[in-house]
């Protein structure tokens, strides 16, 4: 998506450790007009009428998921990072290792918000090694729901997540795929 690539080139900052900072428009301050265009694009990429739920993970996926959901007339469920798992059986749980914080979180979704009749589109801001998306897929599987696809704002194509998911036959569509980025020069190339 050209608009997003241009914005990443203009305002993205490459940090050491393969981290792309886009907090001026994507995941701290949020450019809602850009999100609208991204939402429209996700709808074009996932035209299936079956999609009835958008699933993301807190915190930075929520904004994009909410704007996107308007184009699907579907509610958004966000998986919550939880300090203590409540073992009352009322929630699906999984573990996700955070790419940016290098720690493992327990992540939960209440059973009442995800079930076997759901056709789920997973949305997130970044795809790196694929841990976050793999955890969300695990929650969808636990619920017996159907994964219709995965929509990502920015995929870092030089990391393994996209390849691993696509190899499993999951439909992954990323609006911008970064091919390479250099923390010293700040140069970013796209696939
Ligand atoms: P993964 O689980 O695919 O390794 O990483 C995806 C998650 O880590 C995303 O939910 C995102 O919040 C965060 N993340 C991964 N790479 C980056 C990055 O380069 N920049 C930012 N801002 N977040 C990232």
């Amino acid at each position: 998506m050209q608009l997003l690539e241009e914005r990443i080139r203009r305002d993205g900052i490459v940090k050491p450790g393969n981290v792309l900072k886009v907090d001026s428009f994507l995941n701290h301050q949020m450019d809602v007009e850009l999100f609208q265009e991204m939402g429209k694009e996700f709808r074009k990429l996932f035209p299936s009428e079956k999609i009835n739920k958008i699933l993301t993970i807190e915190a930075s996926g929520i904004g994009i998921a909410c704007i996107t959901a308007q184009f699907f007339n579907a509610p958004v469920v966000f998986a919550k990072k939880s300090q203590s798992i409540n073992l009352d059986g009322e929630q699906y749980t999984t573990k996700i290792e955070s790419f940016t914080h290098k720690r493992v979180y327990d992540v939960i979704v209440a059973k009442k918000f995800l079930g076997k009749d759901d056709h789920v589109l997973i949305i997130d801001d970044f795809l790196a090694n694929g841990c976050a998306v793999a955890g969300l897929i695990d929650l969808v599987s636990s619920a017996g729901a159907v994964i219709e696809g995965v929509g990502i704002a920015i995929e870092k194509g030089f990391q393994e997540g996209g390849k691993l998911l696509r190899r499993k036959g999951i439909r992954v569509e990323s609006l911008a795929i970064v091919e390479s980025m250099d923390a010293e020069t700040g140069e970013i190339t796209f696939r």
Side-chain angles (χ1 to χ4, degrees):
M1 184 186 176
Q2 202 178 342
L3 192 64
L4 181 59
E5 290 183 7
E6 282 169 6
R7 193 61 183 272
I8 296 167
R9 269 214 185 87
R10 199 181 82 195
D11 294 334
I13 299 166
V14 185
K15 294 280 180 188
N18 284 333
V19 173
L20 177 61
K21 219 167 168 215
V22 286
D23 60 356
S24 64
F25 62 95
L26 200 82
N27 53 19
H28 190 23
Q29 176 167 262
M30 296 183 278
D31 182 336
V32 176
E33 276 179 32
L34 175 65
F35 284 18
Q36 290 273 115
E37 296 308 312
M38 289 163 55
K40 279 184 210 160
E41 195 67 23
F42 281 131
R43 177 80 262 195
K44 275 192 218 153
L45 291 165
F46 295 101
S48 169
E49 291 297 326
K50 288 186 192 158
I51 295 169
N52 71 335
K53 205 153 277 188
I54 309 283
L55 178 67
T56 188
I57 178 164
E58 69 174 345
S60 48
I62 296 176
I64 299 166
C66 286
I67 302 290
T68 297
Q70 296 179 107
F71 298 94
F72 288 82
N73 299 110
V76 175
V77 175
F78 65 93
K80 292 189 173 199
K81 291 172 184 163
S82 171
Q83 297 294 352
S84 59
I85 286 188
N86 182 353
L87 293 170
D88 60 8
E90 296 301 313
Q91 52 203 18
Y92 304 111
T93 69
T94 192
K95 288 188 188 295
I96 291 180
E97 185 179 345
S98 160
F99 178 83
T100 36
H101 300 115
K102 306 280 178 244
R103 55 164 287 201
V104 177
Y105 292 93
D106 289 312
V107 172
I108 62 127
V109 166
K111 286 187 177 172
K112 62 184 168 188
F113 299 132
L114 201 56
K116 61 177 173 35
D117 295 332
D118 285 325
H119 289 254
V120 180
L121 175 63
I122 291 173
I123 294 282
D124 204 5
D125 61 340
F126 271 93
L127 178 59
N129 295 323
C131 286
V133 170
L136 294 174
I137 289 171
D138 190 35
L139 294 170
V140 174
S141 305
S142 302
V146 177
I147 295 157
E148 293 289 339
V150 177
I152 298 290
I154 306 173
E155 176 177 342
K156 290 184 290 180
F158 53 88
Q159 292 178 289
E160 290 301 296
K163 204 190 294 172
L164 294 174
L165 293 168
R166 291 183 182 102
R167 206 182 281 153
K168 284 185 190 159
I170 292 161
R171 176 149 179 233
V172 182
E173 299 286 355
S174 302
L175 302 183
I177 303 184
V178 175
E179 185 73 62
S180 69
M181 53 189 215
D182 188 322
E184 273 178 27
T185 62
E187 198 190 342
I188 303 169
T189 64
F190 295 94
R191 193 174 288 172

